[in-house]
Amino acid sequence: MDKTHRSPSSATEMLDLLSFLEEFSDELEGSFDLVGPNPHLRMMLHLLRGHVEARVITPTSAIGASRVPYATANRRLKEMVAAGLVEQRPRTASGKSFSIHPSDALLSQWTQLSGRIRRMCQARFGGETQIDDTKDYYFGGSYSAARSIPPLSVLTEPLRVAGGLRVLAHGDPTFMVMVNLKRQFEQAIGVRINQRAFSIDRLRQEALRNAEKAASRYDIIAVDLPWIGEFAERGVLMPLDQVMDIARLDPADFHTAGWTAAHWGGRAYGVPAQTTPELLFYRRDLFADAGLEPPRTTDDLLVAAKTLHQPHRGRYGIAWNAARGTALGHTVLMAMADFGQPVLDLPRIAGGFDAAHLARGGYRPTIDTEAGLQAAEFLLELLNYSPPDILSMSWYERVRPYAAGKAAMAYGYTLLAPYFEGDDRSPACGQTGYLPHPAGPGGRTIAPVGGYVLGIPANLPPERVPAAVDALAVFTSPEAQKLFVQNGSRTNPRYSVAADPEVRRASTIFEAVDEMSWRDELQFWPRPPVPEIGGIVQICGEEFHDMLRGSVSPRQALRNAQGRADALIRSDQTK
């Protein structure tokens, strides 16, 4: 995105347009004696403004905004309710007091109207964004605008759950966006939201501790995709088909890899809240200046890293996860996948390997292989073109030097893109290209899928389950996902959201990931979600770290990791 021209968030655009219509109405009514207030329009604008600003609107306040006598406004408000434009929600147990909210129909009509008004103004009065709209028209934006996702609507009936909704989340930028939008989500579901967020390792520990309690402390928990098998087998999560109609979620709208990865033994245990593939971020400007093409193979990547590695100028070739333990372990599994080697002996299928039937068991680790050796040697080669503190870099540390202009490339999840896309001071802002992992010999270009699903704890008291199900549907809806994007998130699990013209204008990352999905490059088999995957990741992160420090040879690291992983699987399968 050009640093000098940024599209404002949809909420800002919506408030600007609401203000314009309010002021325009003021001018009309003030300039002509025969022009009176339009109570329908005035109350609609008041409702929509309250919805965007997360304020509670009552019938009394709407009538007050109408600028007509009480009796007239009351009749017009009833007409709006009868027409399905306004929804009423009880505020008290007696139901005598209620708040009013724009219905899905009103929000949808508003979305279409606001787009038409903007285009009419540009057509009549011109403006710098007129050219952008022409581009959108020819590349499908005009067609997609008819399917633009409306703002998040409110539930007709507030959730009934004592003490509010309790959520356990990961402390990443996407879930932090939800914290910032807390008031809007509370308005949508009608109850207070209490959210706790932890780092990845602490999140897993907290979820497992919670599963040991007689009654869950949380209504909804965030689950890293590789944990699905373990959490299903250990009874941490309940299968969703046990408590809801899965069709309600519109499964076909989710990126195939993200939806499939949420399953164990053919049953869904969570709903994708983030589908965030690990990609190669690269500086388009630096590549152009050096006459380099975007890397498609691991050899291309090494050439580019060597060419752009200029430590004397404070710039390094590439940053990646190399910290001991979980961070490096994930890198090892993905590097092996780049060379066509899954960490387990998965059956080969079209486009990759089958990780959808692991609940049947019978799998074994496949680390000490020729492809594994190629991956190990590739990582050793990367060390030559990496920052000096690479062996302590993990999830966020690898993106920070890239955002600061100190690394020409970085492997990173899309959820980390806000660190440079949202910072005009970053040299990478507006200059970043997004690619799937370059492939080694024997492999193909893939984008290993990461991210989180939201699931319901198996030990959640039955009286809280209906509210958890409804909240789950709201948090993972297209409307909520679009809202996340508009407020800085760069993850998205749904095709419909990626197709939304406002989302596409927010970042090129969504179109790039969508294309990868259609090309079947999004794959979750590099980190197969078996119960032992956490242990395997830890083992690889320890043994390969010794290799990168020079303590053992690549072949010895492979043998050590294979032996420990074999012992782990045998131990688990004999329990």
Side-chain angles (χ1 to χ4, degrees):
M1 185 183 292
D2 188 344
K3 295 183 196 178
T4 61
H5 178 71
R6 288 181 174 276
S7 298
S9 73
S10 181
T12 303
E13 288 180 345
M14 192 169 176
L15 288 171
D16 286 345
L17 190 53
L18 288 168
S19 297
F20 167 74
L21 290 175
E22 289 166 346
E23 293 167 10
F24 184 66
S25 297
D26 289 342
E27 290 295 327
L28 283 177
E29 294 162 15
S31 300
F32 303 101
D33 293 338
L34 295 178
V35 176
N38 182 326
H40 286 141
L41 177 61
R42 287 289 186 178
M43 287 191 285
M44 285 180 190
L45 295 176
H46 184 67
L47 266 179
L48 289 164
R49 179 177 287 279
H51 182 71
V52 175
E53 295 176 346
R55 289 187 292 107
V56 175
I57 303 299
T58 64
T60 301
S61 68
I63 289 171
S66 70
R67 300 193 182 181
V68 298
Y70 182 91
T72 301
N74 193 37
R75 287 196 300 271
R76 299 296 177 261
L77 181 58
K78 289 180 179 178
E79 291 170 358
M80 292 167 67
V81 173
L85 299 177
V86 176
E87 292 186 352
Q88 304 176 85
R89 193 161 72 185
R91 298 183 68 191
T92 60
S94 67
K96 294 180 180 179
S97 173
F98 54 87
S99 58
I100 57 176
H101 308 268
S103 67
D104 285 344
L106 176 54
L107 290 169
S108 179
Q109 290 173 21
W110 168 260
T111 299
Q112 295 180 35
L113 173 65
S114 60
R116 289 197 298 270
I117 290 175
R118 185 169 65 90
R119 290 192 293 275
M120 286 167 57
C121 291
Q122 289 169 359
R124 295 295 179 186
F125 306 114
E128 64 179 34
T129 57
Q130 193 169 0
I131 295 175
D132 293 338
D133 274 0
T134 303
K135 179 180 177 183
D136 283 345
Y137 177 84
Y138 286 110
F139 286 91
S142 178
Y143 175 75
S144 297
R147 296 178 286 110
S148 182
I149 296 168
L152 183 68
S153 59
V154 299
L155 299 178
T156 305
E157 294 287 334
L159 298 185
R160 304 204 178 278
V161 57
L165 194 78
R166 305 169 305 199
V167 180
L168 176 63
H170 180 230
D172 62 51
T174 295
F175 282 119
M176 291 303 99
V177 165
M178 186 173 174
V179 172
N180 296 335
L181 296 171
K182 185 170 179 283
R183 283 185 61 200
Q184 285 183 258
F185 279 100
E186 287 178 338
Q187 183 180 14
I189 64 176
V191 296
R192 186 161 48 90
I193 298 172
N194 304 300
Q195 179 168 310
R196 299 184 73 197
F198 294 100
S199 63
I200 185 170
D201 289 329
R202 287 192 62 201
L203 174 64
R204 179 174 175 274
Q205 293 166 4
E206 178 66 13
L208 292 174
R209 276 198 299 266
N210 180 67
E212 297 173 354
K213 299 182 181 297
S216 173
R217 295 179 58 189
Y218 307 101
D219 301 295
I220 293 174
I221 61 174
V223 180
D224 195 15
L225 285 179
W227 305 342
I228 290 293
E230 177 187 13
F231 281 21
E233 291 288 337
R234 296 178 65 167
V236 176
L237 297 172
M238 64 174 62
L240 294 182
D241 58 6
Q242 178 179 307
V243 293
M244 70 182 301
D245 178 8
I246 299 296
R248 171 184 180 184
L249 301 169
D250 192 9
D253 189 35
F254 290 101
H255 285 295
T256 304
W259 177 250
T260 305
H263 287 65
W264 182 255
R267 305 178 78 180
Y269 282 84
V271 186
Q274 300 177 20
T275 296
T276 174
E278 184 178 83
L279 306 180
L280 179 70
F281 304 154
Y282 73 99
R283 287 277 300 277
R284 293 197 307 260
D285 54 337
L286 297 181
F287 272 67
D289 291 344
L292 294 167
E293 292 293 323
R296 298 293 175 182
T297 68
T298 50
D299 286 343
D300 293 341
L301 185 145
L302 290 171
V303 169
K306 181 178 181 180
T307 302
L308 299 173
H309 187 64
Q310 299 177 4
H312 59 284
R313 298 176 58 185
R315 190 180 74 208
Y316 305 93
I318 187 167
W320 44 290
N321 262 11
R324 188 178 184 85
T326 303
L328 177 58
H330 283 284
T331 295
V332 171
L333 269 60
M334 293 178 184
M336 289 172 58
D338 294 342
F339 286 83
Q341 176 66 69
V343 73
L344 301 177
D345 57 342
L346 304 176
R348 188 179 290 275
I349 58 174
F353 297 87
D354 183 10
H357 301 95
L358 291 166
R360 300 171 183 170
Y363 45 82
R364 61 175 296 273
T366 48
I367 300 171
D368 189 7
T369 65
E370 284 306 307
L373 179 61
Q374 289 178 305
E377 292 173 339
F378 169 68
L379 294 180
L380 275 173
E381 187 71 14
L382 280 187
L383 275 184
N384 297 324
Y385 316 117
S386 301
D389 57 343
I390 187 66
L391 294 183
S392 61
M393 280 189 178
S394 57
W395 316 103
Y396 301 104
E397 288 81 4
R398 58 177 169 172
V399 173
R400 285 175 180 150
Y402 178 79
K406 296 179 180 179
M409 295 181 287
Y411 284 113
Y413 286 112
T414 59
L415 68 84
L416 299 175
Y419 280 103
F420 51 87
E421 279 203 351
D423 184 358
D424 286 332
R425 300 166 300 176
S426 170
C429 180
Q431 296 292 347
T432 296
Y434 302 102
L435 293 173
H437 276 222
R444 58 184 288 261
T445 55
I446 61 171
V449 168
Y452 289 81
V453 300
L454 294 179
I456 300 175
N459 57 339
L460 184 65
E463 66 273 13
R464 301 185 70 91
V465 170
V469 168
D470 288 341
L472 196 65
V474 170
F475 295 160
T476 59
S477 67
E479 295 83 0
Q481 294 298 326
K482 179 179 176 179
L483 188 60
F484 290 148
V485 171
Q486 291 168 334
N487 285 272
S489 170
R490 290 299 177 261
T491 72
N492 163 50
R494 289 182 176 269
Y495 290 114
S496 62
V497 177
D500 184 283
E502 290 178 276
V503 169
R504 285 187 177 249
R505 285 196 293 269
S507 172
T508 59
I509 206 166
F510 298 109
E511 185 173 1
V513 171
D514 220 26
E515 290 175 355
M516 291 177 205
S517 183
W518 289 118
R519 293 194 301 264
D520 205 25
E521 291 174 339
L522 298 190
Q523 298 287 336
F524 76 96
W525 60 260
R527 295 187 305 164
V530 295
E532 301 88 357
I533 194 63
I536 293 173
V537 167
Q538 187 67 27
I539 288 167
C540 289
E542 292 170 356
E543 297 298 340
F544 278 70
H545 199 266
D546 289 343
M547 177 197 76
L548 294 176
R549 289 191 300 109
S551 299
V552 298
S553 68
R555 287 196 179 276
Q556 186 61 51
L558 290 166
R559 283 195 295 269
N560 293 347
Q562 180 73 49
R564 291 178 62 188
D566 281 335
L568 175 67
I569 297 290
R570 282 195 303 269
S571 171
D572 198 55
Q573 292 178 348
T574 56
K575 288 180 181 178

